[in-house]
Amino acid sequence: MNTRLLSFAIGLCCFWGAASAQIKLPAASPSAVVSQGIGLGEMQIEYSRPALKGRKMFGSQVPYDQVWRTGANKVTNFILSDEMEIGGRKVPAGKYALLTIPTPSEWTIILNKDADAWGSYTYKEANDVLRFKVKTEKPARTEEYFTIAVGDFSPTHAEVLIRWENTQVRFNVSQDPDARIVQEIKEKTAGSEVAVPTYLAAANYYFDTNRDLNQAFEWASKALDTSKAFWVYYLRGKIAAKIGKCDVALADAAAGLPLAKEGNDPSYVLNFEKLEKDCSKK
């Protein structure tokens, strides 16, 4: 064999031998994902979780007044499946870098277009989509691992918490889809052929948002014309009770309760029993 080829072959064998001998260890900064449905969309945060390991972070390892990757390794990603409101401004659906500028009393929260950067080394302010400031807080205990979590939330709102060492900041992400939902309801209930699930969704939404309950009652009645399921009886019954039609509510409860028992659904059984009890008092 040619001497150069022999040397190359030996070197290659040594390389693969060394590679196969490497020990696989847990990541120093494990990856994590936080997700939360908000309104009609979803927020997802992908980040890495470094540890303190006895070190001082803010003001030392993480300098104050400098742009920080907000975690370790690749820049933290902030992903929106739909347009949402953050820091008082609407942010389009997309994948962003979540960067921060820590100081002792407040942090600047940044969403930047360069979501594939490694750290903040190539950060350009011109690519910022959003910037706003939030006050720092002291968490209940020292946080060993860098943590991003969802705090208080509702179907249309979530609070993002960022904690590490002895510092915590928070900001809100929200989406109010009401106008879109109402428009879709108007469009889908105006057709000549409307499916039962459409009537049910429309009636439920109007009931939950306390708007035009007579219209909600009409939609629930149309659904009941086609489907005699116990949940349809309950939907119309609770709407009827709220608009003072307790005779209808009691009749729907009488029809739906046996079906709920037969279907072994204790939640609906309790709902029907409460509906009968409440209407019997009136």
Side-chain angles (χ1 to χ4, degrees):
M1 178 182 289
N2 182 289
T3 304
R4 292 179 63 185
L5 286 176
L6 180 62
S7 299
F8 176 76
I10 293 173
L12 190 61
C13 289
C14 291
F15 170 79
W16 284 115
S20 63
Q22 288 180 357
I23 299 173
K24 188 174 182 180
L25 300 173
S29 302
S31 60
V33 178
V34 177
S35 62
Q36 178 63 54
I38 304 172
L40 301 179
E42 182 181 48
M43 169 194 72
Q44 184 167 297
I45 304 171
E46 300 173 349
Y47 71 109
S48 295
R49 304 189 64 185
L52 293 177
K53 296 181 179 179
R55 301 172 294 175
K56 176 174 174 50
M57 282 297 144
F58 297 113
S60 180
Q61 296 285 331
V62 178
Y64 286 134
D65 297 306
Q66 292 185 26
V67 176
W68 180 42
R69 73 183 79 191
T70 317
N73 304 324
K74 182 180 182 292
V75 68
T76 291
N77 282 166
F78 195 94
I79 304 163
L80 300 175
S81 68
D82 205 346
E83 179 183 84
M84 297 193 186
E85 187 170 305
I86 306 172
R89 286 181 53 188
K90 290 183 178 179
V91 179
K95 181 178 179 181
Y96 304 100
L98 173 60
L99 301 158
T100 50
I101 303 177
T103 77
S105 60
E106 65 181 15
W107 285 22
T108 300
I109 307 296
I110 302 169
L111 290 186
N112 187 275
K113 294 177 183 177
D114 192 4
D116 295 320
W118 184 267
S120 57
Y121 307 110
T122 59
Y123 165 74
K124 294 180 181 178
E125 186 173 345
N127 290 332
D128 286 355
V129 173
L130 178 69
R131 263 184 178 236
F132 60 96
K133 295 179 185 284
V134 293
K135 297 295 184 183
T136 58
E137 305 170 2
K138 188 176 178 64
R141 61 180 176 82
T142 299
E143 196 77 37
E144 172 67 18
Y145 286 93
F146 176 69
T147 300
I148 300 179
V150 173
D152 292 340
F153 71 94
S154 72
T156 59
H157 157 270
E159 182 181 64
V160 176
L161 302 174
I162 303 176
R163 290 193 302 266
W164 203 17
E165 200 173 28
N166 295 309
T167 299
Q168 173 177 284
V169 296
R170 64 181 75 204
F171 63 90
N172 294 323
V173 181
S174 63
Q175 185 194 73
D176 183 1
D178 182 72
R180 288 165 59 182
I181 293 172
V182 170
Q183 181 60 34
E184 186 175 9
I185 287 173
K186 288 180 179 178
E187 291 172 358
K188 290 190 173 180
T189 56
S192 56
E193 294 184 11
V194 181
V196 169
T198 298
Y199 280 136
L200 294 178
N204 249 320
Y205 191 74
Y206 269 42
F207 178 83
D208 288 342
T209 56
N210 199 32
R211 52 163 42 99
D212 199 346
L213 294 178
N214 288 312
Q215 177 64 79
F217 179 81
E218 181 182 330
W219 285 328
S221 296
K222 288 181 178 180
L224 198 55
D225 288 341
T226 303
S227 172
K228 305 301 182 186
F230 59 81
W231 53 86
V232 184
Y233 276 113
Y234 178 68
L235 173 59
R236 190 177 74 165
K238 71 178 181 179
I239 297 170
K242 196 166 184 178
I243 60 177
K245 295 179 180 287
C246 263
D247 55 333
V248 177
L250 288 171
D252 286 346
L257 180 56
L259 297 174
K261 289 179 178 178
E262 184 181 333
N264 194 29
D265 194 313
S267 178
Y268 269 96
V269 169
L270 290 174
N271 287 339
F272 277 122
E273 290 174 346
K274 184 177 185 305
L275 185 59
E276 288 180 327
K277 182 179 179 181
D278 292 345
C279 266
S280 296
K281 295 177 182 178
K282 296 180 180 180

